[in-house]
Coordinates of all heavy atoms in Angstrom, one line a residue:
M184 N -25.9 -45.6 11.0 CA -25.2 -45.5 9.7 C -25.9 -44.6 8.7 O -25.3 -44.3 7.7 CB -25.0 -46.9 9.1 CG -24.0 -47.8 9.8 SD -22.3 -47.1 9.7 CE -21.9 -47.4 8.0
S185 N -27.1 -44.2 9.0 CA -27.8 -43.5 8.0 C -27.2 -42.1 7.8 O -27.1 -41.6 6.6 CB -29.3 -43.3 8.3 OG -29.5 -42.6 9.5
K186 N -26.7 -41.5 8.8 CA -26.2 -40.1 8.6 C -24.9 -40.1 7.8 O -24.9 -39.3 6.8 CB -25.9 -39.5 10.0 CG -26.9 -38.4 10.4 CD -26.5 -37.6 11.7 CE -27.6 -36.7 12.1 NZ -27.3 -36.2 13.5
P187 N -23.9 -40.9 8.1 CA -22.7 -40.9 7.3 C -23.0 -41.2 5.8 O -22.4 -40.6 4.9 CB -21.8 -42.0 7.8 CG -22.3 -42.1 9.2 CD -23.7 -41.8 9.2
V188 N -24.0 -42.1 5.5 CA -24.4 -42.4 4.1 C -24.9 -41.1 3.4 O -24.6 -40.8 2.3 CB -25.3 -43.6 4.1 CG1 -25.9 -43.7 2.7 CG2 -24.7 -44.8 4.5
L189 N -25.8 -40.4 4.2 CA -26.4 -39.2 3.6 C -25.3 -38.2 3.3 O -25.3 -37.5 2.2 CB -27.4 -38.6 4.6 CG -28.8 -39.1 4.6 CD1 -29.6 -38.5 5.7 CD2 -29.4 -38.9 3.2
I190 N -24.4 -38.0 4.2 CA -23.3 -37.0 4.0 C -22.4 -37.4 2.8 O -22.1 -36.6 1.9 CB -22.4 -36.9 5.3 CG1 -23.2 -36.2 6.4 CG2 -21.1 -36.1 5.0 CD1 -22.6 -36.3 7.7
L191 N -22.1 -38.7 2.7 CA -21.3 -39.2 1.5 C -22.1 -38.9 0.3 O -21.5 -38.5 -0.7 CB -21.0 -40.7 1.7 CG -20.2 -41.3 0.6 CD1 -18.9 -40.6 0.4 CD2 -20.0 -42.8 0.8
G192 N -23.4 -39.2 0.3 CA -24.2 -39.0 -0.9 C -24.2 -37.6 -1.3 O -24.1 -37.2 -2.5
A193 N -24.3 -36.7 -0.4 CA -24.3 -35.3 -0.7 C -23.0 -34.8 -1.3 O -22.9 -34.0 -2.2 CB -24.6 -34.4 0.5
T194 N -21.8 -35.4 -0.7 CA -20.5 -35.1 -1.2 C -20.4 -35.5 -2.7 O -19.9 -34.8 -3.5 CB -19.5 -35.7 -0.3 OG1 -19.7 -35.3 1.0 CG2 -18.1 -35.3 -0.7
L195 N -20.8 -36.8 -2.9 CA -20.6 -37.3 -4.3 C -21.5 -36.4 -5.3 O -21.1 -36.2 -6.4 CB -21.1 -38.7 -4.3 CG -20.2 -39.7 -3.6 CD1 -20.8 -41.1 -3.6 CD2 -18.8 -39.7 -4.3
A196 N -22.7 -36.0 -4.9 CA -23.5 -35.2 -5.7 C -22.8 -33.9 -6.1 O -22.8 -33.4 -7.2 CB -24.8 -34.9 -5.1
L197 N -22.1 -33.3 -5.1 CA -21.3 -32.1 -5.3 C -20.2 -32.3 -6.3 O -20.0 -31.5 -7.2 CB -20.8 -31.5 -4.0 CG -21.8 -30.7 -3.1 CD1 -21.1 -30.4 -1.8 CD2 -22.3 -29.5 -3.9
L198 N -19.5 -33.5 -6.1 CA -18.4 -33.7 -7.1 C -18.9 -34.1 -8.4 O -18.2 -33.8 -9.4 CB -17.6 -34.9 -6.5 CG -16.8 -34.7 -5.2 CD1 -16.2 -36.0 -4.7 CD2 -15.7 -33.7 -5.4
A199 N -20.0 -34.6 -8.6 CA -20.5 -35.0 -9.9 C -21.0 -33.9 -10.7 O -20.9 -33.9 -11.9 CB -21.7 -36.1 -9.8
T200 N -21.4 -32.8 -10.1 CA -21.9 -31.7 -10.8 C -21.2 -30.4 -10.4 O -21.7 -29.6 -9.6 CB -23.4 -31.5 -10.6 OG1 -23.6 -31.3 -9.2 CG2 -24.3 -32.6 -11.1
P201 N -19.9 -30.3 -10.8 CA -19.2 -29.1 -10.4 C -19.8 -27.8 -11.0 O -19.9 -27.7 -12.2 CB -17.8 -29.4 -10.9 CG -17.9 -30.3 -12.0 CD -19.2 -31.1 -11.8
A202 N -20.0 -26.9 -10.2 CA -20.5 -25.6 -10.7 C -19.3 -24.7 -10.9 O -18.4 -24.7 -10.2 CB -21.4 -24.9 -9.6
F203 N -19.3 -24.0 -12.1 CA -18.3 -23.1 -12.4 C -18.4 -21.8 -11.5 O -19.5 -21.5 -11.1 CB -18.3 -22.7 -13.8 CG -17.4 -23.6 -14.7 CD1 -18.0 -24.8 -15.1 CD2 -16.2 -23.4 -15.0 CE1 -17.3 -25.7 -15.9 CE2 -15.4 -24.3 -15.7 CZ -16.0 -25.4 -16.2
A204 N -17.3 -21.2 -11.2 CA -17.3 -20.0 -10.5 C -18.1 -19.0 -11.4 O -18.2 -19.2 -12.6 CB -15.9 -19.4 -10.3
D205 N -18.6 -18.0 -10.8 CA -19.6 -17.1 -11.4 C -19.2 -16.6 -12.7 O -20.0 -16.7 -13.7 CB -20.0 -15.9 -10.5 CG -20.3 -16.4 -9.1 OD1 -20.9 -17.5 -9.0 OD2 -20.0 -15.7 -8.1
E206 N -18.0 -16.0 -12.9 CA -17.6 -15.5 -14.2 C -16.1 -15.6 -14.3 O -15.4 -15.8 -13.3 CB -18.0 -14.1 -14.3 CG -17.7 -13.2 -13.1 CD -18.4 -11.8 -13.3 OE1 -19.6 -11.7 -13.1 OE2 -17.7 -10.9 -13.7
P207 N -15.6 -15.6 -15.5 CA -14.1 -15.7 -15.6 C -13.4 -14.5 -14.9 O -13.9 -13.5 -14.7 CB -13.9 -15.5 -17.2 CG -15.2 -15.9 -17.8 CD -16.3 -15.5 -16.8
I208 N -12.2 -14.8 -14.5 CA -11.4 -13.9 -13.8 C -10.5 -13.2 -14.8 O -9.7 -13.9 -15.5 CB -10.5 -14.5 -12.7 CG1 -11.4 -15.2 -11.6 CG2 -9.6 -13.5 -12.1 CD1 -10.7 -16.1 -10.7
A209 N -10.6 -11.9 -15.0 CA -9.8 -11.2 -16.0 C -8.4 -11.0 -15.5 O -8.1 -10.4 -14.4 CB -10.5 -9.9 -16.3
V210 N -7.4 -11.4 -16.3 CA -6.0 -11.1 -16.1 C -5.4 -10.6 -17.3 O -5.7 -11.1 -18.4 CB -5.3 -12.5 -15.6 CG1 -3.8 -12.2 -15.4 CG2 -5.9 -13.0 -14.3
S211 N -4.5 -9.6 -17.2 CA -3.9 -9.1 -18.4 C -2.4 -9.2 -18.3 O -1.8 -9.4 -17.2 CB -4.3 -7.6 -18.6 OG -3.8 -6.8 -17.5
L212 N -1.8 -9.2 -19.5 CA -0.3 -9.2 -19.5 C 0.1 -7.9 -20.2 O -0.4 -7.5 -21.2 CB 0.1 -10.4 -20.4 CG 0.7 -11.6 -19.8 CD1 0.9 -12.6 -20.9 CD2 2.0 -11.3 -19.1
Q213 N 1.1 -7.2 -19.6 CA 1.6 -6.0 -20.2 C 3.1 -5.9 -19.8 O 3.4 -6.1 -18.6 CB 0.9 -4.8 -19.7 CG 1.3 -3.5 -20.4 CD 0.1 -2.9 -21.2 OE1 -1.0 -3.1 -20.9 NE2 0.5 -2.2 -22.3
N214 N 3.9 -5.6 -20.7 CA 5.4 -5.6 -20.4 C 5.8 -6.8 -19.7 O 6.7 -6.8 -18.8 CB 5.7 -4.3 -19.6 CG 5.4 -3.1 -20.4 OD1 5.5 -3.0 -21.6 ND2 4.9 -2.1 -19.6
H215 N 5.2 -8.0 -20.1 CA 5.6 -9.3 -19.7 C 5.4 -9.4 -18.2 O 6.2 -10.1 -17.5 CB 7.1 -9.6 -20.0 CG 7.4 -9.4 -21.4 ND1 6.6 -10.0 -22.5 CD2 8.3 -8.6 -22.1 CE1 7.1 -9.6 -23.7 NE2 8.1 -8.7 -23.4
R216 N 4.3 -8.7 -17.7 CA 3.9 -8.9 -16.2 C 2.4 -9.2 -16.2 O 1.7 -8.6 -17.0 CB 4.3 -7.7 -15.4 CG 5.7 -7.4 -15.2 CD 6.0 -6.2 -14.5 NE 7.4 -5.8 -14.5 CZ 8.3 -6.3 -13.7 NH1 8.0 -7.1 -12.7 NH2 9.6 -5.9 -13.8
F217 N 2.0 -10.0 -15.3 CA 0.6 -10.3 -15.1 C 0.0 -9.3 -14.1 O 0.5 -8.9 -13.1 CB 0.4 -11.7 -14.5 CG 0.8 -12.9 -15.4 CD1 2.0 -13.5 -15.2 CD2 0.0 -13.3 -16.4 CE1 2.4 -14.6 -16.0 CE2 0.3 -14.3 -17.3 CZ 1.5 -15.0 -17.0
T218 N -1.2 -8.9 -14.5 CA -2.0 -8.0 -13.5 C -3.4 -8.6 -13.5 O -4.1 -8.6 -14.6 CB -2.1 -6.6 -14.0 OG1 -0.8 -6.1 -14.1 CG2 -2.8 -5.7 -13.0
P219 N -4.0 -8.9 -12.4 CA -3.2 -9.1 -11.1 C -2.3 -10.3 -11.1 O -2.6 -11.2 -11.9 CB -4.4 -9.3 -10.0 CG -5.4 -10.0 -10.8 CD -5.4 -9.4 -12.2
A220 N -1.3 -10.2 -10.4 CA -0.3 -11.3 -10.3 C -0.7 -12.3 -9.2 O -0.3 -13.4 -9.2 CB 1.1 -10.7 -10.0
T221 N -1.6 -11.9 -8.3 CA -2.1 -12.8 -7.3 C -3.6 -12.9 -7.5 O -4.3 -12.0 -7.6 CB -1.9 -12.2 -5.9 OG1 -0.5 -12.0 -5.7 CG2 -2.4 -13.2 -4.8
I222 N -4.0 -14.1 -7.8 CA -5.4 -14.5 -8.3 C -6.0 -15.3 -7.2 O -5.5 -16.4 -6.9 CB -5.4 -15.2 -9.6 CG1 -4.7 -14.3 -10.6 CG2 -6.8 -15.5 -10.1 CD1 -4.3 -15.0 -11.9
H223 N -7.1 -14.9 -6.7 CA -7.9 -15.6 -5.6 C -9.0 -16.4 -6.3 O -9.8 -15.8 -7.0 CB -8.4 -14.7 -4.5 CG -7.3 -14.0 -3.8 ND1 -6.8 -14.6 -2.5 CD2 -6.6 -12.9 -4.0 CE1 -5.8 -13.8 -2.1 NE2 -5.7 -12.8 -3.0
V224 N -9.1 -17.7 -6.0 CA -10.2 -18.5 -6.5 C -10.8 -19.3 -5.4 O -10.2 -19.4 -4.3 CB -9.8 -19.5 -7.6 CG1 -9.1 -18.7 -8.8 CG2 -8.8 -20.5 -7.0
K225 N -12.0 -19.7 -5.6 CA -12.7 -20.6 -4.6 C -12.1 -22.0 -4.7 O -12.1 -22.5 -5.8 CB -14.2 -20.6 -4.9 CG -15.0 -19.4 -4.5 CD -16.5 -19.6 -4.7 CE -17.2 -18.3 -5.0 NZ -18.5 -18.5 -5.6
A226 N -11.8 -22.5 -3.6 CA -11.3 -23.9 -3.6 C -12.5 -24.8 -4.0 O -13.7 -24.6 -3.6 CB -10.8 -24.3 -2.2
G227 N -12.2 -25.9 -4.7 CA -13.1 -26.9 -5.0 C -14.1 -26.6 -6.2 O -15.0 -27.4 -6.4
V228 N -13.8 -25.5 -6.8 CA -14.7 -25.1 -7.9 C -13.9 -24.8 -9.1 O -12.8 -24.1 -9.1 CB -15.5 -23.8 -7.5 CG1 -16.4 -23.3 -8.6 CG2 -16.3 -24.0 -6.3
P229 N -14.2 -25.4 -10.3 CA -13.5 -25.0 -11.5 C -13.6 -23.5 -11.8 O -14.6 -23.0 -11.6 CB -14.1 -25.9 -12.6 CG -15.4 -26.3 -12.1 CD -15.3 -26.3 -10.6
T230 N -12.5 -23.0 -12.4 CA -12.4 -21.6 -12.6 C -11.8 -21.3 -14.0 O -11.1 -22.1 -14.5 CB -11.5 -20.9 -11.6 OG1 -11.8 -21.3 -10.3 CG2 -11.6 -19.4 -11.6
V231 N -12.3 -20.2 -14.6 CA -11.7 -19.8 -15.9 C -11.0 -18.5 -15.7 O -11.6 -17.5 -15.2 CB -12.8 -19.7 -16.9 CG1 -12.2 -19.2 -18.3 CG2 -13.4 -21.0 -17.2
I232 N -9.7 -18.4 -16.1 CA -9.0 -17.1 -16.2 C -9.0 -16.7 -17.6 O -8.6 -17.4 -18.5 CB -7.5 -17.3 -15.7 CG1 -7.5 -17.7 -14.3 CG2 -6.7 -16.0 -16.0 CD1 -6.0 -18.0 -13.8
A233 N -9.6 -15.5 -17.8 CA -9.6 -14.8 -19.2 C -8.4 -14.0 -19.3 O -8.3 -12.9 -18.7 CB -10.9 -14.0 -19.3
L234 N -7.4 -14.5 -20.0 CA -6.1 -13.8 -20.1 C -6.0 -13.0 -21.4 O -6.2 -13.5 -22.5 CB -5.0 -14.9 -20.1 CG -3.6 -14.4 -20.2 CD1 -3.2 -13.4 -19.1 CD2 -2.6 -15.5 -20.3
T235 N -5.8 -11.7 -21.2 CA -5.6 -10.8 -22.3 C -4.1 -10.4 -22.4 O -3.6 -9.8 -21.5 CB -6.5 -9.5 -22.1 OG1 -7.8 -9.9 -22.1 CG2 -6.2 -8.6 -23.3
N236 N -3.5 -10.7 -23.5 CA -2.1 -10.5 -23.7 C -1.9 -9.2 -24.5 O -2.2 -9.2 -25.7 CB -1.4 -11.7 -24.4 CG 0.1 -11.4 -24.7 OD1 0.6 -10.4 -24.3 ND2 0.7 -12.4 -25.3
N237 N -1.6 -8.1 -23.8 CA -1.4 -6.8 -24.5 C 0.0 -6.6 -25.1 O 0.2 -5.5 -25.7 CB -1.7 -5.7 -23.5 CG -3.1 -5.7 -23.0 OD1 -4.1 -5.8 -23.9 ND2 -3.4 -5.6 -21.7
D238 N 0.8 -7.6 -24.9 CA 2.2 -7.4 -25.5 C 2.2 -7.8 -27.0 O 1.3 -8.4 -27.5 CB 3.2 -8.3 -24.7 CG 3.5 -7.8 -23.3 OD1 3.5 -6.5 -23.2 OD2 3.8 -8.6 -22.4
D239 N 3.3 -7.5 -27.6 CA 3.5 -7.8 -29.0 C 3.8 -9.3 -29.2 O 3.4 -9.9 -30.2 CB 4.6 -7.0 -29.7 CG 4.3 -5.6 -29.8 OD1 3.1 -5.2 -29.8 OD2 5.3 -4.7 -29.8
A240 N 4.4 -9.9 -28.2 CA 4.9 -11.3 -28.3 C 3.9 -12.2 -27.6 O 3.1 -11.9 -26.7 CB 6.2 -11.4 -27.5
A241 N 3.9 -13.4 -28.1 CA 3.1 -14.5 -27.5 C 3.6 -14.8 -26.2 O 4.8 -14.6 -25.8 CB 3.1 -15.8 -28.4
E242 N 2.8 -15.4 -25.3 CA 3.2 -15.8 -24.0 C 2.5 -17.1 -23.7 O 1.4 -17.4 -24.2 CB 2.8 -14.8 -22.9 CG 3.4 -15.0 -21.5 CD 4.9 -15.3 -21.5 OE1 5.3 -16.4 -21.8 OE2 5.6 -14.3 -21.2
E243 N 3.1 -17.9 -22.9 CA 2.5 -19.2 -22.5 C 2.3 -19.1 -21.0 O 3.3 -19.1 -20.2 CB 3.4 -20.4 -22.8 CG 2.8 -21.7 -22.4 CD 3.6 -22.9 -22.6 OE1 4.6 -23.1 -21.9 OE2 3.3 -23.7 -23.6
F244 N 1.0 -19.2 -20.6 CA 0.6 -19.3 -19.1 C 1.0 -20.7 -18.8 O 0.5 -21.7 -19.4 CB -0.9 -19.1 -19.0 CG -1.3 -19.1 -17.6 CD1 -1.6 -17.9 -16.9 CD2 -1.5 -20.3 -16.9 CE1 -2.1 -18.0 -15.6 CE2 -1.9 -20.3 -15.6 CZ -2.3 -19.2 -14.9
D245 N 1.9 -20.9 -17.9 CA 2.5 -22.2 -17.6 C 2.5 -22.4 -16.0 O 3.0 -21.5 -15.3 CB 3.9 -22.2 -18.2 CG 4.5 -23.7 -18.2 OD1 4.6 -24.3 -17.1 OD2 4.7 -24.2 -19.3
S246 N 2.0 -23.6 -15.6 CA 2.1 -23.9 -14.2 C 2.1 -25.5 -14.0 O 1.2 -26.1 -14.4 CB 0.9 -23.3 -13.4 OG 0.9 -23.8 -12.1
S247 N 3.2 -26.0 -13.4 CA 3.2 -27.4 -13.2 C 2.2 -27.8 -12.0 O 1.6 -28.8 -12.1 CB 4.6 -27.8 -12.9 OG 5.2 -27.1 -11.9
S248 N 2.1 -26.9 -11.1 CA 1.2 -27.2 -10.0 C -0.3 -27.2 -10.3 O -1.1 -27.9 -9.8 CB 1.5 -26.3 -8.8 OG 1.3 -25.0 -9.1
L249 N -0.6 -26.3 -11.3 CA -1.9 -26.2 -11.8 C -2.2 -27.2 -13.0 O -3.3 -27.4 -13.4 CB -2.2 -24.8 -12.3 CG -2.4 -23.7 -11.2 CD1 -2.4 -22.3 -11.9 CD2 -3.6 -23.9 -10.4
K250 N -1.1 -27.8 -13.5 CA -1.1 -28.7 -14.6 C -1.8 -28.0 -15.8 O -2.7 -28.5 -16.5 CB -1.9 -29.9 -14.2 CG -1.3 -30.8 -13.1 CD -2.1 -32.0 -12.7 CE -1.4 -32.7 -11.5 NZ -2.4 -33.5 -10.8
V251 N -1.3 -26.8 -16.1 CA -1.9 -26.0 -17.2 C -0.7 -25.4 -18.0 O 0.3 -25.0 -17.5 CB -2.7 -24.8 -16.6 CG1 -3.0 -23.7 -17.7 CG2 -4.0 -25.3 -16.0
E252 N -0.9 -25.5 -19.4 CA -0.1 -24.7 -20.3 C -1.0 -24.1 -21.3 O -1.8 -24.9 -21.9 CB 0.9 -25.6 -21.0 CG 2.1 -26.1 -20.1 CD 3.1 -26.9 -20.9 OE1 2.7 -27.7 -21.7 OE2 4.3 -26.6 -20.7
K253 N -1.0 -22.9 -21.6 CA -1.8 -22.3 -22.5 C -1.1 -21.1 -23.2 O -0.7 -20.2 -22.5 CB -3.1 -21.7 -21.8 CG -4.0 -20.9 -22.7 CD -4.8 -21.7 -23.6 CE -5.8 -20.8 -24.4 NZ -6.6 -21.7 -25.3
V254 N -1.0 -21.2 -24.5 CA -0.3 -20.1 -25.3 C -1.3 -19.1 -25.7 O -2.4 -19.5 -26.2 CB 0.4 -20.7 -26.5 CG1 1.0 -19.6 -27.3 CG2 1.5 -21.7 -26.1
V255 N -1.0 -17.8 -25.5 CA -1.9 -16.8 -26.0 C -1.0 -15.8 -26.8 O 0.0 -15.3 -26.3 CB -2.5 -16.0 -24.8 CG1 -3.4 -14.8 -25.3 CG2 -3.4 -16.9 -23.9
A256 N -1.4 -15.6 -28.1 CA -0.7 -14.8 -29.0 C -0.6 -13.4 -28.6 O -1.5 -13.0 -27.7 CB -1.3 -14.9 -30.4
G257 N 0.2 -12.6 -29.1 CA 0.3 -11.1 -28.8 C -1.0 -10.5 -29.2 O -1.6 -10.9 -30.2
H258 N -1.4 -9.5 -28.4 CA -2.7 -8.7 -28.7 C -3.9 -9.7 -29.0 O -4.6 -9.5 -30.0 CB -2.5 -7.8 -30.0 CG -1.3 -6.9 -29.7 ND1 -1.4 -5.8 -28.8 CD2 -0.1 -6.8 -30.2 CE1 -0.3 -5.2 -28.8 NE2 0.6 -5.7 -29.6
S259 N -4.0 -10.7 -28.2 CA -5.0 -11.7 -28.2 C -5.5 -12.1 -26.8 O -4.8 -11.8 -25.8 CB -4.6 -12.9 -29.0 OG -4.2 -12.6 -30.3
S260 N -6.6 -12.8 -26.8 CA -7.1 -13.3 -25.5 C -7.3 -14.8 -25.6 O -7.4 -15.3 -26.6 CB -8.4 -12.6 -25.2 OG -8.3 -11.2 -25.1
G261 N -7.2 -15.4 -24.4 CA -7.5 -16.8 -24.3 C -7.9 -17.2 -22.9 O -7.7 -16.5 -22.0
N262 N -8.7 -18.3 -22.8 CA -9.2 -18.8 -21.6 C -8.3 -19.9 -21.0 O -7.9 -20.8 -21.7 CB -10.6 -19.3 -21.7 CG -11.6 -18.2 -21.9 OD1 -11.3 -17.1 -21.5 ND2 -12.7 -18.6 -22.5
V263 N -7.9 -19.7 -19.8 CA -7.1 -20.7 -19.0 C -8.1 -21.4 -18.1 O -8.5 -20.7 -17.1 CB -5.9 -20.1 -18.3 CG1 -5.1 -21.1 -17.6 CG2 -5.0 -19.3 -19.3
R264 N -8.3 -22.7 -18.2 CA -9.3 -23.4 -17.4 C -8.5 -24.1 -16.3 O -7.6 -24.8 -16.5 CB -10.0 -24.4 -18.3 CG -10.9 -23.8 -19.3 CD -11.7 -24.7 -20.1 NE -12.4 -24.0 -21.1 CZ -13.6 -23.4 -20.9 NH1 -14.1 -23.5 -19.7 NH2 -14.2 -22.7 -21.8
L265 N -9.0 -23.8 -15.0 CA -8.4 -24.4 -13.9 C -9.4 -25.4 -13.3 O -10.6 -25.2 -13.1 CB -8.2 -23.3 -12.8 CG -7.3 -22.1 -13.2 CD1 -7.1 -21.2 -12.0 CD2 -6.0 -22.6 -13.8
R266 N -8.8 -26.6 -13.0 CA -9.6 -27.6 -12.4 C -10.0 -27.2 -10.9 O -9.4 -26.3 -10.4 CB -8.8 -28.9 -12.3 CG -7.5 -28.8 -11.5 CD -6.5 -30.0 -11.7 NE -5.2 -29.5 -11.3 CZ -4.7 -29.6 -10.0 NH1 -5.5 -30.1 -9.1 NH2 -3.5 -29.2 -9.8
P267 N -10.9 -27.9 -10.3 CA -11.2 -27.6 -8.9 C -9.9 -27.9 -8.1 O -9.3 -28.9 -8.2 CB -12.2 -28.7 -8.5 CG -12.9 -29.0 -9.8 CD -11.8 -29.0 -10.8
L268 N -9.6 -26.8 -7.3 CA -8.3 -26.9 -6.5 C -8.5 -27.1 -5.0 O -9.4 -26.5 -4.5 CB -7.5 -25.6 -6.7 CG -7.2 -25.2 -8.2 CD1 -6.6 -23.8 -8.3 CD2 -6.1 -26.2 -8.7
A269 N -7.7 -27.9 -4.4 CA -7.6 -27.9 -3.0 C -7.0 -26.6 -2.5 O -6.3 -25.9 -3.2 CB -6.6 -29.0 -2.5
P270 N -7.4 -26.1 -1.3 CA -6.8 -24.9 -0.8 C -5.3 -24.9 -0.8 O -4.7 -25.9 -0.5 CB -7.4 -24.9 0.7 CG -8.6 -25.7 0.7 CD -8.3 -26.8 -0.3
G271 N -4.8 -23.8 -1.3 CA -3.3 -23.7 -1.3 C -2.8 -22.7 -2.3 O -3.7 -21.9 -2.9
R272 N -1.5 -22.6 -2.5 CA -0.9 -21.6 -3.4 C -0.3 -22.4 -4.6 O 0.3 -23.4 -4.5 CB 0.3 -20.9 -2.7 CG -0.2 -20.0 -1.6 CD 1.0 -19.5 -0.7 NE 1.9 -18.8 -1.6 CZ 1.8 -17.5 -1.8 NH1 0.9 -16.8 -1.3 NH2 2.7 -16.9 -2.6
Y273 N -0.6 -21.9 -5.8 CA -0.2 -22.5 -7.0 C 0.5 -21.5 -7.9 O -0.1 -20.7 -8.6 CB -1.5 -23.0 -7.8 CG -2.3 -24.0 -6.9 CD1 -3.2 -23.6 -6.0 CD2 -2.1 -25.4 -7.1 CE1 -4.0 -24.5 -5.2 CE2 -2.8 -26.3 -6.4 CZ -3.8 -25.9 -5.5 OH -4.5 -26.8 -4.7
P274 N 1.8 -21.5 -7.9 CA 2.6 -20.5 -8.7 C 2.4 -20.8 -10.2 O 2.2 -21.9 -10.6 CB 4.1 -20.8 -8.3 CG 4.0 -21.6 -7.1 CD 2.7 -22.3 -7.1
F275 N 2.5 -19.7 -11.0 CA 2.4 -19.8 -12.4 C 3.5 -18.8 -13.0 O 3.9 -17.9 -12.3 CB 1.0 -19.6 -13.0 CG 0.4 -18.3 -12.8 CD1 0.7 -17.2 -13.7 CD2 -0.4 -18.0 -11.7 CE1 0.1 -16.0 -13.5 CE2 -0.9 -16.7 -11.5 CZ -0.7 -15.7 -12.4
M276 N 3.7 -19.0 -14.3 CA 4.7 -18.0 -14.9 C 4.3 -17.9 -16.4 O 3.6 -18.8 -17.0 CB 6.1 -18.5 -14.7 CG 6.4 -19.8 -15.5 SD 8.1 -20.2 -15.4 CE 8.1 -21.8 -16.3
G277 N 4.8 -16.9 -17.0 CA 4.9 -16.9 -18.5 C 6.2 -17.5 -18.9 O 7.2 -17.0 -18.7
E278 N 6.0 -18.6 -19.6 CA 7.2 -19.4 -19.9 C 8.2 -18.7 -20.7 O 9.4 -18.9 -20.6 CB 6.8 -20.7 -20.5 CG 8.0 -21.7 -20.6 CD 7.7 -23.1 -21.0 OE1 6.5 -23.4 -20.9 OE2 8.5 -23.8 -21.4
Y279 N 7.7 -17.8 -21.6 CA 8.6 -17.1 -22.5 C 9.3 -15.9 -21.9 O 10.3 -15.4 -22.5 CB 7.9 -16.7 -23.8 CG 7.2 -17.8 -24.5 CD1 6.0 -17.6 -25.2 CD2 7.7 -19.1 -24.4 CE1 5.3 -18.6 -25.8 CE2 7.0 -20.2 -25.1 CZ 5.8 -19.9 -25.7 OH 5.1 -20.9 -26.4
H280 N 8.8 -15.4 -20.8 CA 9.4 -14.2 -20.1 C 9.4 -14.5 -18.6 O 8.8 -13.7 -17.8 CB 8.7 -13.0 -20.5 CG 8.7 -12.7 -22.0 ND1 7.6 -13.2 -22.8 CD2 9.5 -12.1 -22.8 CE1 7.9 -12.9 -24.0 NE2 9.0 -12.2 -24.1
S281 N 9.9 -15.6 -18.1 CA 9.7 -16.0 -16.8 C 10.4 -15.1 -15.7 O 10.2 -15.2 -14.6 CB 10.1 -17.5 -16.6 OG 11.5 -17.6 -17.0
E282 N 11.4 -14.2 -16.2 CA 12.1 -13.3 -15.3 C 11.1 -12.4 -14.7 O 11.2 -12.0 -13.5 CB 13.2 -12.6 -16.0 CG 13.9 -13.2 -17.1 CD 13.1 -13.3 -18.4 OE1 12.4 -12.3 -18.8 OE2 13.0 -14.4 -19.1
T283 N 10.1 -11.9 -15.5 CA 9.2 -10.9 -15.0 C 7.8 -11.5 -14.9 O 7.0 -11.0 -14.0 CB 9.1 -9.7 -15.9 OG1 8.9 -10.2 -17.3 CG2 10.5 -8.9 -15.8
A284 N 7.4 -12.4 -15.8 CA 6.0 -12.8 -15.8 C 5.8 -14.0 -14.8 O 6.0 -15.1 -15.1 CB 5.7 -13.3 -17.2
Q285 N 5.4 -13.5 -13.6 CA 5.2 -14.5 -12.5 C 4.0 -14.2 -11.7 O 3.6 -13.0 -11.6 CB 6.4 -14.5 -11.6 CG 7.7 -15.0 -12.3 CD 8.8 -15.2 -11.3 OE1 8.6 -15.2 -10.1 NE2 10.0 -15.4 -11.8
G286 N 3.3 -15.2 -11.2 CA 2.2 -15.0 -10.4 C 1.8 -16.2 -9.5 O 2.5 -17.2 -9.6
V287 N 0.7 -16.1 -8.8 CA 0.3 -17.2 -8.0 C -1.2 -17.2 -7.9 O -1.9 -16.2 -7.8 CB 0.9 -17.1 -6.6 CG1 0.5 -15.9 -5.8 CG2 0.6 -18.4 -5.8
V288 N -1.8 -18.4 -8.0 CA -3.2 -18.6 -7.8 C -3.3 -19.1 -6.3 O -2.7 -20.0 -5.9 CB -3.8 -19.7 -8.7 CG1 -5.2 -20.0 -8.3 CG2 -3.8 -19.1 -10.1
I289 N -4.2 -18.4 -5.6 CA -4.5 -18.8 -4.2 C -5.9 -19.3 -4.1 O -6.9 -18.6 -4.4 CB -4.3 -17.6 -3.2 CG1 -2.8 -17.1 -3.3 CG2 -4.7 -18.0 -1.8 CD1 -2.5 -16.0 -2.4
A290 N -6.0 -20.6 -3.8 CA -7.3 -21.2 -3.6 C -7.7 -21.3 -2.2 O -6.9 -21.7 -1.4 CB -7.3 -22.6 -4.3
E291 N -8.9 -20.8 -1.8 CA -9.2 -20.7 -0.4 C -10.8 -20.8 -0.3 O -11.5 -20.7 -1.2 CB -8.8 -19.4 0.2 CG -9.2 -18.2 -0.4 CD -8.4 -17.0 -0.1 OE1 -7.6 -17.0 0.8 OE2 -8.7 -15.9 -0.7
Ligands
CU180 CU1 5.3 -24.9 -21.2

């Protein structure tokens, strides 16, 4: 039984002290489109998206699967904090211009 206990202990230690990904991921908005629109993150690690909105209008980074809503004013920047994610695809959109402002976070 000693091995499984050790593995469980190591897993709990990892969960207790989540390390942030090395640096924020820069994403910009222009003409109501995200660049990049496909964002790769490490699974299991909290991540910060540094969103720069170059448009005149405010936009809301919105994702039900990521459980995130973050409004960024026009010509402003804001950080979108992502919880540790299981591997998978997490669509997001700009709620105010969802016809064009669409993207996906891929955790792997
Ligand atoms: Cu919303």
Side-chain angles (χ1 to χ4, degrees):
M184 284 298 286
S185 64
K186 252 188 188 168
V188 169
L189 276 176
I190 291 168
L191 179 61
T194 304
L195 289 176
L197 281 176
L198 290 174
T200 56
F203 272 83
D205 308 328
E206 49 189 76
I208 298 169
V210 176
S211 64
L212 256 175
Q213 185 114 32
N214 299 322
H215 311 304
R216 292 176 191 275
F217 292 103
T218 302
T221 301
I222 300 167
H223 294 266
V224 304
K225 286 183 205 164
V228 180
T230 310
V231 176
I232 293 173
L234 179 60
T235 300
N236 182 359
N237 295 313
D238 286 331
D239 293 334
E242 187 55 278
E243 182 181 75
F244 184 105
D245 193 298
S246 170
S247 53
S248 59
L249 291 168
K250 298 177 184 156
V251 164
E252 287 187 315
K253 171 77 177 180
V254 175
V255 178
H258 302 288
S259 297
S260 299
N262 286 338
V263 179
R264 297 180 180 280
L265 304 184
R266 65 193 158 87
L268 298 172
R272 294 170 57 87
Y273 301 83
F275 63 88
M276 65 172 179
E278 188 170 346
Y279 305 149
H280 305 88
S281 56
E282 328 75 43
T283 53
Q285 296 189 8
V287 63
V288 170
I289 298 177
E291 56 199 353

